Amino acid sequence: MSGGDGLDGALFNRLFALFLIVSLTMLALVLAFLAAAWFRRGGVRQDGVADENGRASREPLLRALLIGWTALIAIGLIGLTFASFLTDRGMADAIPPDRRTINIIVTAKQFWWDVNYAFDNEPSKNIRTANELHLPVGVPARVTLKSSDVIHSFWIPNLAGKQDLIPGRVNDLVLLPNRTGVFRGQCAEFCGIQHAHMALDVTVESRAQFANWLAAQGKPAPAPASPLQKAGYLYVMNRECSGCHAIAGTAANATVGPDLTHLMSRRSLAAGTLPMGRAGLYAWVADPQGVKPGNNMPYVGLDANELHAVTAYLETLK
Amino acid sequence: MRLPKGRTGCLSHPPLSPPCIQGGRLACALFLCLGLTACDREQRSLNGQPKAETIALANDPRDLSYQENSYQLSQGQRLYKWMNCSGCHANGGGGMGPPLMDDEWRYGGRMEDIVRTILHGRPNGMPRFEGKITEQEAWQIASYVRSLSAQQGQDVLSARPDSMSASEPPTLAERGKVLPENNLTGPKDEQN
Amino acid sequence: MNVLSGKELPRDGEMLQGEALHARLDKTWRRDPGLWGWVTTTDHKDIAHRYIVTAFTFLVLGGLLSLVMRLQLATPESGLISPDRYDQIFTMHGTTMMFLFAVPVMEAMAVFLVPLMIGSRNIAFPRLNAFSYWMYLAGGILLWVAFILNIGPDAGWFSYPPLSGPQFSPGKRIDIWAQMVTFTEVAALAVSVETVATILKQRAPGMTLARMPLFVWVSLVVSLMVIFSMPAVALASSFLIADRLVGTQFFNPAEHGDALLWQHMFWFFGHPEVYIIFLPGVGFVSEITATFTRRPVFGYPLLVLAVVAIGLLAFGLWVHHMFATGLPRLGYAFYTAASMAVAIPSGIQIFCWIATIWDGRPRWETPLLYVVAFIITFVIGGLTGVMLASVPLDLELHDTYFVVAHFHYVLIGGAVFPLLGAITYWFPKFTGRLMSERLGKTSFWFVFLGFQLTFAPMHWAGILGMPRRVYTYPTGLGLEQVNLLATIGAFVLATGFALFLVNSLMSMRRGTVAGANPWDASGLEWATSSPPPPYNFPHIPVVSSRHPLWDHRDHLPVMTGLRVDDRELLLTTVMEARPDLREPSPLPSSWPLWAAITSTILFISSIFTPWAVLYGSVPVAITLIAWFWPKGPVTPEPVIQ
């Protein structure tokens, strides 16, 4: 999965190849020496018992070899240390300071990602989504990493290495994707019972597509059309759902759970637990604790009519 | 584990003597007995089963699974913040709403009274949360609310939240109040 | 005991040797009969046996947990065990293996071997030794009883706050974990103090520092490392438990605490911990290699220096566990360099062992096979370790299955393989019998191949993007095959361990009776019978080289003049090991057990109320005072007539 799809990924691949070559060489040398020792079967006994068949001890030769071996290890390590250091600097210096970047604030929560696109000069364009990142190809994105409960770790293997999200601290990370595609991110620091189901969908797209996405995300949710959708809308607004979730353009504005305004535009539900779609919605809304035990969305116990209605309304949130 | 028979004297020095094996059996037996007793305080039932409104005057059986259960209590602690209970009651010290840390209960201090207060609301500002939160959540919050006034075992409660510390509420004497009668015995609205 | 009759000579010497000496010493040193004697014994061999049997019990328990985890992970989205239980299981596995198996078993080997290797009659502070075992046992039982009661800790063996803090880990789970750490810390510190004192002051006359067996050197370094590193985690776990129980704010950022403080303190212990586990393996491998190649280990001074260097470097690399936490990047460069530097002493060690095999006359018996398995596995683990020392690589591989593979290669390859070799090698000293060679070789191949099959695929799983500590993984990421392979391998590996245990249990009863020195080895532990008598040596041997039994095959020089009517040790000078003092060694006592019981009550009840620290310290103080109470006049010094 670690590929050269982003700046870090490319540097990682190069450095990994170098380390792999050096390591395999060293391993081959050790195994060759071990095989030689295995097949030689015989120096001389040096335990005070006479040994007629033994060959004389070759200590001087071994000493010379040891000096060579130690020098080889030292040179190899110094080389690798410098390669590693330079790569690390390369990652840090890759973004020219004057270049325009996208600012994203990711706040990790048990067990999902709250994602905010922040436009400092145009706050009205700020958008909030969850468990997904959209990035324009070739544009650096500065991701500010925060946590509101325990320590999590932000990791998109194809694009970047890990960076922890630690309560009380603010970390950041620059993503520079160099090809379009869909990648998977994942929480990498054990964060509790549903650590396994805390994924992040990353879509890298062209700048035009990204602009479209951004514009679409900035729009409020459409009003419900059919009677079923209206029933669902009423349920969402008046019952448990709006206690935690926000839907832009409606009265629901709580920030405890993920923003649902453009729920259906996402690739997955519940931080990568279920694929997005009607089946997933039904399963998730009906029994979140059965799908992802221990997450913070309660089992509400909707009856069949309510379930149909809520799902029908949620499906309009494109 | 014994050594060969032919060996004598102090050289035959078994690593494990029979008493130790007996001791091991005894320990095993005790260990198994312990395994039979479950530990309710640590039970983590994630899926509350909501029922129709059944909060009766008598003690509700659900009391037991939410009271003195550290997991439910800590979930209640999170919900207390998420549902903005702290907006009126602060961290228990009270503000716009009455303090929850003291020993005064306007509408009764039993679990079912608190759940009833949360779900149905009370006059003069306590909103109705029925339908806004699930019954399970109401019970969890009630469990936490009771712990604020030290009515839950100390070993159930967490020592502090991961947030700013709450300050101590003023005592009754400081507020110049006198404890009303029947303060802890039952819900007031039922008595009227 | 101290009534002198004319016939009973008070000291060993020319007048008193052979059977007569044996009978006198046996009467003085033997433990009391029955269960009471078993409970009160201060014999280092008895206590080491107990330690080893208990540690292997925990190995079996921890191993069974790993099989459950492998079953769960064999298929994606498996519902075999609930996530809550899985978290407890992986936490228990790590905690059991690190705190209840690896460190104690290595210490136990030192407790057994060091006094024998340096020609002493008992370990220093033998009652403290007994106390440490009881504390260790209590900690282990506490943890496992809690797990059975569904109060097992579930925040990982590293227990990072705030996840392990009061808000996100409700209940007593983490308190139990933290107190278990306290128990094992007390036990480990006690054993380390004994080991250091024993090595520095009780060596046989003539055994200068430069003539110490390599395992003794390693034990000295490891014990010093324990003394310097364990207080960090003891303090950290005390902070944690104070945060959880009395509302302190050490790790709460909202009140100016710091969640990262824990990580620094934990890894300042946690990284040396890895070498505390691995370095005894270096000692085992060195001893085994010399014996089975019938040649002194090549480069003894270099090996000693390498061990000391690793011991020092171990304290300078803890931050490589924290590369992802966002600390200043320039600082990382130092930790990268320090982590890489460990490869130099390790590389030298590897060379020295292979050179010894190459230049000697190897006998390919099971212990030497474990040495070869160790070299191959440890080198692979070391090389992946070099990769993880690099910041850019670590940021990708950190907290993935690549790391799981890496540290199992280093810890199983670097410590458990040598340990299995060492158990096979010293089995005659433990039991008087040899382990079956045939079954030994069979189990070796199961263990070695099963290990590779289990952990080699995990490298690939990590590179594919599988994080650690997940109870399940989704389909479609290509993780199915590697995980299935690892699960199959885990069962092969478990079969190997089971065969090893069967072999040791069977050989205990029916193995070939070993003489004093079945392998024709050179160390002093082989100069006495198998198993050794309670007093270890009839006469204290005198050493004039690194390989006393090879240089003096049938006429090992001895020193006489120690009392036989009272427990007496010979103390020698620290550097040159010149005879210095005669020192009494404590008699059996039940006070260590009582002190351990009262301390256990204090530690466990403090989980439930802070006041227990106050009230509980009273019985602890009483037992300690009784333990150290002067017991009347010392036995009068005998006069030789």
Side-chain angles (χ1 to χ4, degrees), chain C residues 93-119:
Chain C
H93 172 75
T95 307
T96 302
M97 290 305 196
M98 295 300 270
F99 288 106
L100 300 179
F101 166 66
V103 174
V105 82
M106 295 303 177
E107 283 167 347
M109 292 297 278
V111 166
F112 185 86
L113 289 172
V114 163
L116 289 169
M117 283 182 158
I118 62 172

Short mmCIF file of all heavy atoms in Angstrom, two decimals, chain C residues 93-119:
data_model
loop_
_atom_site.label_atom_id
_atom_site.label_comp_id
_atom_site.label_asym_id
_atom_site.label_seq_id
_atom_site.Cartn_x
_atom_site.Cartn_y
_atom_site.Cartn_z
N HIS C 93 -1.67 -10.29 26.67
CA HIS C 93 -0.57 -11.00 26.01
C HIS C 93 0.73 -10.21 26.16
O HIS C 93 1.74 -10.75 26.62
CB HIS C 93 -0.90 -11.21 24.52
CG HIS C 93 0.23 -11.75 23.72
ND1 HIS C 93 0.65 -13.06 23.79
CD2 HIS C 93 1.08 -11.15 22.85
CE1 HIS C 93 1.68 -13.25 22.99
NE2 HIS C 93 1.96 -12.10 22.40
N GLY C 94 0.69 -8.92 25.82
CA GLY C 94 1.90 -8.11 25.91
C GLY C 94 2.38 -7.99 27.35
O GLY C 94 3.56 -8.16 27.65
N THR C 95 1.44 -7.71 28.24
CA THR C 95 1.82 -7.52 29.64
C THR C 95 2.39 -8.80 30.23
O THR C 95 3.42 -8.78 30.91
CB THR C 95 0.58 -7.07 30.44
OG1 THR C 95 0.02 -5.93 29.80
CG2 THR C 95 0.95 -6.72 31.85
N THR C 96 1.72 -9.92 29.97
CA THR C 96 2.19 -11.18 30.51
C THR C 96 3.57 -11.50 29.97
O THR C 96 4.47 -11.87 30.73
CB THR C 96 1.20 -12.30 30.12
OG1 THR C 96 -0.07 -11.97 30.62
CG2 THR C 96 1.63 -13.63 30.69
N MET C 97 3.75 -11.36 28.68
CA MET C 97 5.03 -11.75 28.10
C MET C 97 6.16 -10.85 28.57
O MET C 97 7.25 -11.31 28.86
CB MET C 97 4.95 -11.71 26.56
CG MET C 97 4.07 -12.81 25.99
SD MET C 97 4.60 -14.45 26.54
CE MET C 97 3.75 -15.49 25.39
N MET C 98 5.91 -9.55 28.66
CA MET C 98 7.00 -8.64 29.04
C MET C 98 7.24 -8.66 30.55
O MET C 98 8.37 -8.79 30.99
CB MET C 98 6.67 -7.21 28.62
CG MET C 98 6.59 -7.00 27.13
SD MET C 98 8.11 -7.40 26.25
CE MET C 98 8.96 -5.85 26.28
N PHE C 99 6.18 -8.52 31.33
CA PHE C 99 6.38 -8.33 32.77
C PHE C 99 6.39 -9.64 33.54
O PHE C 99 7.01 -9.73 34.59
CB PHE C 99 5.27 -7.43 33.35
CG PHE C 99 5.39 -5.99 32.97
CD1 PHE C 99 4.55 -5.43 32.03
CD2 PHE C 99 6.35 -5.19 33.56
CE1 PHE C 99 4.66 -4.10 31.68
CE2 PHE C 99 6.47 -3.85 33.21
CZ PHE C 99 5.62 -3.30 32.27
N LEU C 100 5.65 -10.63 33.06
CA LEU C 100 5.51 -11.85 33.86
C LEU C 100 6.28 -13.03 33.29
O LEU C 100 6.45 -14.03 33.95
CB LEU C 100 4.02 -12.23 33.97
CG LEU C 100 3.14 -11.19 34.64
CD1 LEU C 100 1.70 -11.65 34.67
CD2 LEU C 100 3.62 -10.90 36.05
N PHE C 101 6.72 -12.94 32.04
CA PHE C 101 7.54 -14.03 31.52
C PHE C 101 8.98 -13.58 31.26
O PHE C 101 9.90 -14.06 31.93
CB PHE C 101 6.94 -14.63 30.24
CG PHE C 101 7.92 -15.51 29.50
CD1 PHE C 101 8.36 -16.69 30.07
CD2 PHE C 101 8.42 -15.14 28.26
CE1 PHE C 101 9.30 -17.48 29.41
CE2 PHE C 101 9.36 -15.92 27.60
CZ PHE C 101 9.80 -17.10 28.18
N ALA C 102 9.18 -12.66 30.33
CA ALA C 102 10.52 -12.44 29.81
C ALA C 102 11.49 -11.95 30.89
O ALA C 102 12.55 -12.54 31.10
CB ALA C 102 10.46 -11.46 28.64
N VAL C 103 11.12 -10.87 31.57
CA VAL C 103 12.05 -10.34 32.56
C VAL C 103 12.24 -11.32 33.72
O VAL C 103 13.38 -11.66 34.07
CB VAL C 103 11.58 -8.94 33.05
CG1 VAL C 103 12.45 -8.46 34.17
CG2 VAL C 103 11.62 -7.96 31.90
N PRO C 104 11.16 -11.84 34.32
CA PRO C 104 11.38 -12.76 35.44
C PRO C 104 12.16 -14.01 35.06
O PRO C 104 13.00 -14.47 35.84
CB PRO C 104 9.96 -13.13 35.88
CG PRO C 104 9.12 -12.02 35.42
CD PRO C 104 9.74 -11.52 34.16
N VAL C 105 11.91 -14.56 33.87
CA VAL C 105 12.60 -15.82 33.57
C VAL C 105 14.09 -15.56 33.39
O VAL C 105 14.93 -16.38 33.79
CB VAL C 105 11.97 -16.52 32.34
CG1 VAL C 105 12.47 -15.97 31.03
CG2 VAL C 105 12.23 -18.02 32.42
N MET C 106 14.44 -14.40 32.82
CA MET C 106 15.85 -14.10 32.65
C MET C 106 16.51 -13.87 34.01
O MET C 106 17.63 -14.29 34.27
CB MET C 106 16.02 -12.85 31.77
CG MET C 106 15.53 -13.04 30.35
SD MET C 106 16.35 -14.44 29.54
CE MET C 106 15.54 -14.46 27.97
N GLU C 107 15.78 -13.19 34.90
CA GLU C 107 16.31 -12.98 36.25
C GLU C 107 16.46 -14.30 36.97
O GLU C 107 17.42 -14.53 37.69
CB GLU C 107 15.39 -12.06 37.02
CG GLU C 107 15.56 -10.62 36.62
CD GLU C 107 14.45 -9.76 37.13
OE1 GLU C 107 13.42 -10.31 37.59
OE2 GLU C 107 14.60 -8.54 37.08
N ALA C 108 15.47 -15.19 36.76
CA ALA C 108 15.51 -16.47 37.45
C ALA C 108 16.72 -17.28 36.99
O ALA C 108 17.39 -17.94 37.80
CB ALA C 108 14.23 -17.25 37.18
N MET C 109 17.02 -17.21 35.69
CA MET C 109 18.20 -17.93 35.21
C MET C 109 19.45 -17.39 35.89
O MET C 109 20.35 -18.13 36.27
CB MET C 109 18.32 -17.80 33.68
CG MET C 109 17.23 -18.50 32.90
SD MET C 109 17.20 -20.28 33.10
CE MET C 109 18.46 -20.80 31.94
N ALA C 110 19.49 -16.06 36.06
CA ALA C 110 20.65 -15.46 36.73
C ALA C 110 20.69 -15.89 38.20
O ALA C 110 21.75 -16.22 38.73
CB ALA C 110 20.60 -13.95 36.62
N VAL C 111 19.51 -15.91 38.84
CA VAL C 111 19.47 -16.31 40.26
C VAL C 111 19.99 -17.74 40.40
O VAL C 111 20.72 -18.07 41.33
CB VAL C 111 18.04 -16.19 40.80
CG1 VAL C 111 17.89 -16.91 42.13
CG2 VAL C 111 17.66 -14.73 40.96
N PHE C 112 19.65 -18.59 39.45
CA PHE C 112 20.12 -19.97 39.54
C PHE C 112 21.60 -20.07 39.19
O PHE C 112 22.39 -20.69 39.91
CB PHE C 112 19.31 -20.86 38.59
CG PHE C 112 19.66 -22.33 38.71
CD1 PHE C 112 19.03 -23.11 39.66
CD2 PHE C 112 20.65 -22.90 37.91
CE1 PHE C 112 19.37 -24.45 39.80
CE2 PHE C 112 20.98 -24.23 38.04
CZ PHE C 112 20.34 -25.01 38.99
N LEU C 113 21.99 -19.44 38.07
CA LEU C 113 23.30 -19.73 37.51
C LEU C 113 24.42 -18.91 38.13
O LEU C 113 25.54 -19.42 38.29
CB LEU C 113 23.27 -19.50 35.99
CG LEU C 113 22.47 -20.53 35.21
CD1 LEU C 113 22.34 -20.09 33.77
CD2 LEU C 113 23.15 -21.89 35.28
N VAL C 114 24.15 -17.65 38.46
CA VAL C 114 25.26 -16.78 38.85
C VAL C 114 26.02 -17.33 40.06
O VAL C 114 27.24 -17.47 40.00
CB VAL C 114 24.78 -15.34 39.05
CG1 VAL C 114 25.77 -14.51 39.83
CG2 VAL C 114 24.51 -14.70 37.70
N PRO C 115 25.35 -17.68 41.18
CA PRO C 115 26.14 -18.20 42.30
C PRO C 115 26.93 -19.45 41.94
O PRO C 115 28.07 -19.62 42.40
CB PRO C 115 25.07 -18.50 43.36
CG PRO C 115 23.93 -17.63 43.01
CD PRO C 115 23.93 -17.57 41.52
N LEU C 116 26.36 -20.31 41.07
CA LEU C 116 27.09 -21.52 40.68
C LEU C 116 28.27 -21.16 39.79
O LEU C 116 29.35 -21.72 39.91
CB LEU C 116 26.14 -22.47 39.94
CG LEU C 116 25.09 -23.14 40.80
CD1 LEU C 116 24.06 -23.85 39.93
CD2 LEU C 116 25.73 -24.14 41.75
N MET C 117 28.05 -20.21 38.88
CA MET C 117 29.13 -19.87 37.93
C MET C 117 30.29 -19.17 38.61
O MET C 117 31.41 -19.23 38.12
CB MET C 117 28.57 -18.95 36.85
CG MET C 117 27.75 -19.66 35.82
SD MET C 117 27.22 -18.47 34.60
CE MET C 117 26.89 -19.56 33.23
N ILE C 118 30.00 -18.47 39.71
CA ILE C 118 31.10 -17.76 40.35
C ILE C 118 31.57 -18.50 41.60
O ILE C 118 32.39 -17.99 42.34
CB ILE C 118 30.70 -16.32 40.72
CG1 ILE C 118 29.55 -16.33 41.73
CG2 ILE C 118 30.32 -15.52 39.50
CD1 ILE C 118 29.24 -14.98 42.29
N GLY C 119 31.08 -19.71 41.80
CA GLY C 119 31.59 -20.54 42.89
C GLY C 119 31.21 -20.05 44.27
O GLY C 119 32.05 -20.00 45.17
#
